[in-house]
Amino acid sequence: MRVTIDLQATVGQSTGFGRYVGNIRAALPAVAPDGVTFTDITRVRKNLRTPSRILWDQIGLPLTALASWPDVLFVPAFSVPMVWPKKILAASHDLIGLIFPEYFSATARWYWHDLLPRSLRHADHIVTISESSKRDLVRLLSIPSDRITVTPLAVESTFTPVTDPDRLARARRAHNLPRPFCIAVGTIEPRKNYPFLVDAFAVSKREDHDLVIVGKRGWDVANLEQRIRQLHLADRVRVLEYVDEADLTSLYSAATALLFPSRYEGFGL
């Protein structure tokens, strides 16, 4: 059996999708039965915004996959091509855009409400990351439960507590964090609820701590930046767009607390 995997989500700045895809690709050969081979699609080499990603999913991906002509096309993130003559395995992490459409732009709402549901119904089988997301697929998209397999997430082996004081100090210096701080991690988008977190930080009047938000700039990041300015917290709230994995592990360990105000997660590590 030949399996081709779309690795588009792994390029650019790492997100939850990218970590999932990269780790599952690395682990598959060790658990696959004899005779299963894997081919990677790595043609896309940059982050794609929603319109470009739709074009890739529906046109670029199937055209590129023709070269390897796999028995199974595995799409571990985003929508699956609706014109593909062979088997498709899809991964669906959650249906956030159907549950909270107000968090998304007009193009993204169309993607979640029209394209993604139709494309997932086109898949021969779906893996998802929690029983909660499986129930949503059955309830909202009427996909039969026997076409869905739950494969729970796990923490990468590199994410263990850092106790080396020199390593902790280096990470703090690298990101200019001399004061005690609390941390929140995740792409900056409305469902992560960061403006509320900034409001809560302001109300707490914790003058002895700073707030650090680590996350790729997503849709509506301007709202968060505006809220920080309105509350005059520019010197107390640090927004770090990207932190490499080694420093991120250190910052988790150096923080007084992890703050997780998200309104919704399919799983949520």
Side-chain angles (χ1 to χ4, degrees), residues 222-241:
N223 189 38
L224 171 63
E225 294 172 337
Q226 180 184 31
R227 196 65 187 140
I228 293 170
R229 290 193 301 268
Q230 287 174 340
L231 295 171
H232 308 289
L233 290 174
D235 60 338
R236 301 284 314 286
V237 179
R238 296 289 310 285
V239 179
L240 306 179
E241 183 174 344

Side-chain angles (χ1 to χ4, degrees), residues 111-124:
Y111 168 84
W112 282 100
H113 280 262
D114 187 18
L115 178 62
L116 186 65
R118 287 194 290 127
S119 78
L120 287 177
R121 294 187 188 105
H122 184 69
D124 295 278

Side-chain angles (χ1 to χ4, degrees), residues 57 84 109 123 145 152 181 195 222 227 246:
D57 290 348
W84 179 252
R109 285 197 297 271
S145 62
F181 64 92
R227 196 65 187 140

Side-chain angles (χ1 to χ4, degrees), residues 19 26 29 31 91 98 166 173 191 195 203 222 233 250 258-259:
R19 289 186 180 278
V31 298
L98 289 176
D166 291 336
R173 284 196 302 271
R191 73 183 174 99
V203 170
L233 290 174
S250 296
L258 170 70
L259 307 178

Side-chain angles (χ1 to χ4, degrees), residues 172 176-181 206-210 235-236:
R172 296 181 71 138
N176 191 25
L177 301 173
R179 291 160 45 84
F181 64 92
R206 288 299 299 266
E207 301 295 335
D208 57 335
H209 273 68
D210 290 340
D235 60 338
R236 301 284 314 286

Side-chain angles (χ1 to χ4, degrees), residues 55-236:
L55 290 174
W56 167 251
D57 290 348
Q58 300 304 318
I59 300 174
L61 175 57
L63 288 177
T64 304
L66 286 174
S68 56
W69 195 238
D71 300 298
V72 178
L73 178 60
F74 178 27
V75 185
F78 315 123
S79 62
V80 304
M82 288 182 288
V83 179
W84 179 252
K86 304 183 81 174
K87 298 289 186 181
I88 293 179
L89 172 65
S92 175
H93 300 255
D94 60 53
L95 296 178
I96 176 77
L98 289 176
I99 298 169
F100 293 107
E102 65 271 20
Y103 292 165
F104 294 88
S105 65
T107 301
R109 285 197 297 271
W110 173 80
Y111 168 84
W112 282 100
H113 280 262
D114 187 18
L115 178 62
L116 186 65
R118 287 194 290 127
S119 78
L120 287 177
R121 294 187 188 105
H122 184 69
D124 295 278
H125 201 80
I126 297 170
V127 292
T128 191
I129 58 177
S130 66
E131 292 291 345
S132 175
S133 288
K134 178 177 179 177
R135 288 194 295 270
D136 287 343
L137 286 164
V138 173
R139 176 174 63 90
L140 298 175
L141 302 187
S142 301
I143 294 174
S145 62
D146 61 1
R147 285 176 52 201
I148 307 168
T149 298
V150 176
T151 56
L153 299 177
V155 178
E156 289 177 74
S157 59
T158 54
F159 279 86
T160 57
V162 176
T163 57
D164 179 358
D166 291 336
R167 183 176 164 189
L168 294 173
R170 282 196 301 270
R172 296 181 71 138
R173 284 196 302 271
H175 299 283
N176 191 25
L177 301 173
R179 291 160 45 84
F181 64 92
C182 296
I183 194 169
V185 179
T187 300
I188 301 171
E189 57 188 18
R191 73 183 174 99
K192 296 297 186 179
N193 212 16
Y194 288 141
F196 167 82
L197 178 59
V198 171
D199 287 347
F201 180 70
V203 170
S204 73
K205 300 186 184 301
R206 288 299 299 266
E207 301 295 335
D208 57 335
H209 273 68
D210 290 340
L211 171 62
V212 176
I213 298 173
V214 179
K216 174 184 172 184
R217 294 171 67 89
W219 178 66
D220 203 29
V221 68
N223 189 38
L224 171 63
E225 294 172 337
Q226 180 184 31
R227 196 65 187 140
I228 293 170
R229 290 193 301 268
Q230 287 174 340
L231 295 171
H232 308 289
L233 290 174
D235 60 338
R236 301 284 314 286

